[in-house]
Structures are given as structure tokens and as C-alpha cells.
Amino acid sequence: FRNEAQNMIDGRVYWRPQKGIFPIYAADMFETTSDVLVMERASEKPIDKFHTNDLPLKNEALETFLEIWYDEALFGSGFFHGDLHAGNIFFNPTPLPGYAPYGRDYQLTLIDFGSCGRLDKKEKKAIITLILGSTAKNSALVVRAFKALTPMTSGQEEKFKAGLEDIYAKGTDPSETCNLIVNKAIEMEFGLPKNFILFNRGRAFLENQIRDTTKELDK
């Protein structure tokens, strides 16, 4: 709990009231101990509970947070919330009194900072290279990204490249292509850093949420 309380302090990099993003804070009037942590109450409900008329604001909130999350992890301090799922992102399409003047018509609140990470320079570079390689379907870039993080024999490299070609042939969008590539690397038991795995799990969740919400809006 003490670690989580410190993560909440580090998580203040997400405090962007002008963009409707509000990470949860520990309640200052209570002492945090190894087995007691008191925090603020999150507004409204988990983000997957909102549909129909709330979809446009929900999509805007998710896209805004994804941009902030990416920016801080890859181009800032390296810090990132590492346990992103629907239950840890609360959404209020009607901001609480006192929050509305900040300029957004919604309030997105992050909770559960128990699992967070901080990318180092090498990990940042590898993830950016992976994203660029996945988007361009460039096997050389993708292999470079993974070789920067884990040793790879020539045999593993050839097998991985063959797997990449199979993935490209599926014709999936860049986000899903990236997911499949990371899954392939895990399947091949590459020794990937924990932060790399956590970051890509969070990236996949946010991008999938935005994709699914967009599909729902298009119906």
C-alpha cells in the first residue's frame, strides 16, 4: 500500500483537469501503512458501463487519456499506469460540481495504482521502433526493437521473421498487428522486460476500447 501511495504521487503527471483527466489521490488526512490505504472516491462507474448517448464523450475521454499516457511513458518521465482495464477507469459524462469549469463535459478518473512501471531509455526506444515497424510492416525494424531488449540467436531471428510475415498476411490494423507481434515474441519465450509487457498490455487495452467504442458509434 505504501508503494501504491507513492505511485499515486507519481501518477499526478496525469492530472489534466483542462482535459477532463483526474487520477485518484490518497486521502491526505489518513496515514498510509502497510495494510491501510484510504483514497478519494472515484466519480460514477467503470467506463465499460457507458453506451448509447454517452459514446461520443467516452471516446473523446479515452483518446485524450491515451495521448497523455503515451506521451508521459514514451517522451516524458517513462512512468505509466500498468494495470489498465475497465474496472480501473471510471467515467462521468457529467462532471461533479467544481470540475465543470475546467472546460470538458466529462470526468475520467484513474484508480488502482498498485501496478505501475517506468520505462527506461532503451525500452522507450524499443517500443517506438516496434510501433513504427508494426505500422509499416517492416520486419527489420521489428526485429531491431526486440533485439535491443533480449538476446536472439540467428535461428530465433529467422523463425521470428517468418512469423512476422504470417502476421502481416492477416491484414489487421496497426494496433492489432502490434498485439500479434508481441504475442508471437512471448510465444517464442523471448526474455522481455516486465515493463515492456505491462506497457503493451495497457496500450492494447486502450486502443481496443477506442476501436470498440468507435464501432458502436458507427452502428
Side-chain angles (χ1 to χ4, degrees):
F1 282 155
R2 292 191 182 103
N3 289 338
E4 183 169 355
Q6 181 58 52
N7 287 340
M8 287 184 189
I9 293 173
D10 295 340
R12 291 178 183 177
V13 294
Y14 296 142
W15 180 261
R16 307 293 173 86
Q18 73 279 15
K19 294 188 175 183
I21 309 299
F22 300 87
I24 206 79
Y25 284 0
D28 293 336
M29 67 285 294
F30 298 99
E31 179 185 0
T32 298
T33 69
S34 61
D35 56 2
V36 175
L37 173 60
V38 181
M39 63 191 76
E40 298 172 328
R41 183 175 181 177
S43 176
E44 266 293 341
K45 298 175 291 190
I47 200 161
D48 63 342
K49 305 299 182 184
F50 292 87
H51 303 281
T52 60
N53 294 338
D54 297 315
L55 287 174
L57 286 179
K58 173 181 172 179
N59 220 27
E60 181 183 345
L62 285 167
E63 289 175 349
T64 299
F65 176 60
L66 176 63
E67 179 183 348
I68 295 168
W69 187 79
Y70 258 123
D71 187 59
E72 189 61 37
L74 297 180
F75 306 107
S77 68
F79 176 85
F80 66 96
H81 190 304
D83 191 18
L84 294 177
H85 57 77
N88 284 346
I89 303 177
F90 275 56
F91 182 66
N92 188 347
T94 306
L96 296 175
Y99 289 89
Y102 285 114
R104 292 297 172 105
D105 296 326
Y106 59 80
Q107 183 176 344
L108 185 148
T109 306
L110 300 169
I111 69 169
D112 192 355
F113 281 77
S115 178
C116 294
R118 193 177 294 271
L119 300 173
D120 61 26
K121 186 175 180 180
K122 180 174 67 174
E123 290 166 339
K124 290 179 184 180
K125 184 176 180 180
I127 289 169
I128 293 170
T129 303
L130 169 61
I131 292 170
L132 291 174
S134 299
T135 302
K137 297 184 178 180
N138 185 320
S139 295
L141 277 179
V142 173
V143 170
R144 184 190 306 170
F146 283 96
K147 289 180 77 171
L149 297 174
T150 181
M152 190 183 301
T153 66
S154 57
Q156 286 177 316
E157 183 175 339
E158 290 306 311
K159 184 177 178 180
F160 188 44
K161 284 181 177 178
L164 293 177
E165 294 304 317
D166 291 340
I167 290 170
Y168 300 152
K170 296 179 185 295
T172 53
D173 61 53
S175 178
E176 181 59 20
T177 297
C178 194
N179 296 343
L180 293 172
I181 289 172
V182 173
N183 289 342
K184 182 65 179 178
I186 293 172
E187 176 190 318
M188 291 185 64
E189 299 183 347
F190 291 164
L192 299 173
K194 178 183 176 181
N195 280 342
F196 178 86
I197 300 295
L198 280 178
F199 179 86
N200 277 287
R201 185 187 302 162
R203 175 199 58 76
F205 169 75
L206 288 173
E207 291 178 354
N208 287 343
Q209 280 286 303
I210 292 169
R211 181 195 62 204
D212 293 345
T213 304
T214 301
K215 285 181 179 178
E216 204 170 344
L217 271 168
D218 291 340
K219 287 182 180 178

